[in-house]
Amino acid sequence: MPTLEELLRASLQETEEDVNEASNALHTSAVEIAKAAEAVTKSQATVRLKVMAGDETETRYNLDVTRNGAPQGRTVACFGVPKKGFPITQYANWTEDRVTAQFSSKEELAAFFQQLASNPDSPLVGYLSFLLRHPNAGA
């Protein structure tokens, strides 16, 4: 019969593996979109995934776009990675619980990031377009 310590270790390991898989998928997509934004803006803008809040149930992240040299930027998406990993939740913003989408796999999450980059009406495309048209705005 396993000891309580062995049971706890196994549970913690399983939880860590699940949350790491989802977290890694989110970070990988964020890095890819950051590289793309840096390339198309000729390093005028930066995209970063920032931890905003966390507890024993979930860690919330903002995907922010900032003009390089500016003190603050704009949040274009907010995500919650639960302790069980997938599904990752997209929220209206990090301070409220209004769910706008859920991603049950890294493929679904990658598809969302592709849409974020390809849709002219997405908040990412809109804000990058604004920054390129107005080089002194937000500086």
Side-chain angles (χ1 to χ4, degrees):
M1 174 172 239
T3 66
L4 290 177
E5 180 181 339
E6 290 168 335
L7 292 171
L8 184 57
R9 282 186 194 281
S11 293
L12 285 172
Q13 182 177 352
E14 182 180 329
T15 298
E16 285 301 307
E17 289 171 0
D18 292 344
V19 76
N20 284 342
E21 179 185 4
S23 182
N24 288 341
L26 179 59
H27 282 82
T28 297
S29 292
V31 166
E32 289 174 7
I33 209 155
K35 288 178 182 177
E38 185 175 338
V40 299
T41 65
K42 298 181 179 148
S43 299
Q44 292 180 50
T46 302
V47 176
R48 295 276 185 257
L49 190 64
K50 295 184 345 186
V51 174
M52 300 305 293
D55 61 22
E56 68 279 1
T57 63
E58 177 182 66
T59 302
R60 289 205 183 174
Y61 299 87
N62 274 356
L63 186 68
D64 292 340
V65 179
T66 306
R67 176 183 297 286
N68 288 340
Q72 60 185 18
R74 175 156 311 158
T75 298
V76 296
C78 175
F79 303 96
V81 178
K83 70 177 182 178
K84 292 184 178 183
F86 288 103
I88 293 174
T89 302
Q90 181 186 9
Y91 293 103
N93 65 58
W94 75 271
T95 60
E96 64 179 79
D97 292 331
R98 188 166 52 91
V99 174
T100 57
Q102 285 196 313
F103 311 103
S104 297
S105 67
K106 61 183 173 183
E107 293 80 15
E108 287 182 12
L109 185 65
F112 168 77
F113 273 85
Q114 287 183 342
Q115 185 274 338
L116 194 62
S118 65
N119 182 351
D121 293 328
S122 82
L124 174 68
V125 173
Y127 192 56
L128 289 176
S129 177
F130 170 79
L131 292 177
L132 290 171
R133 286 191 322 271
H134 304 284
N136 297 319

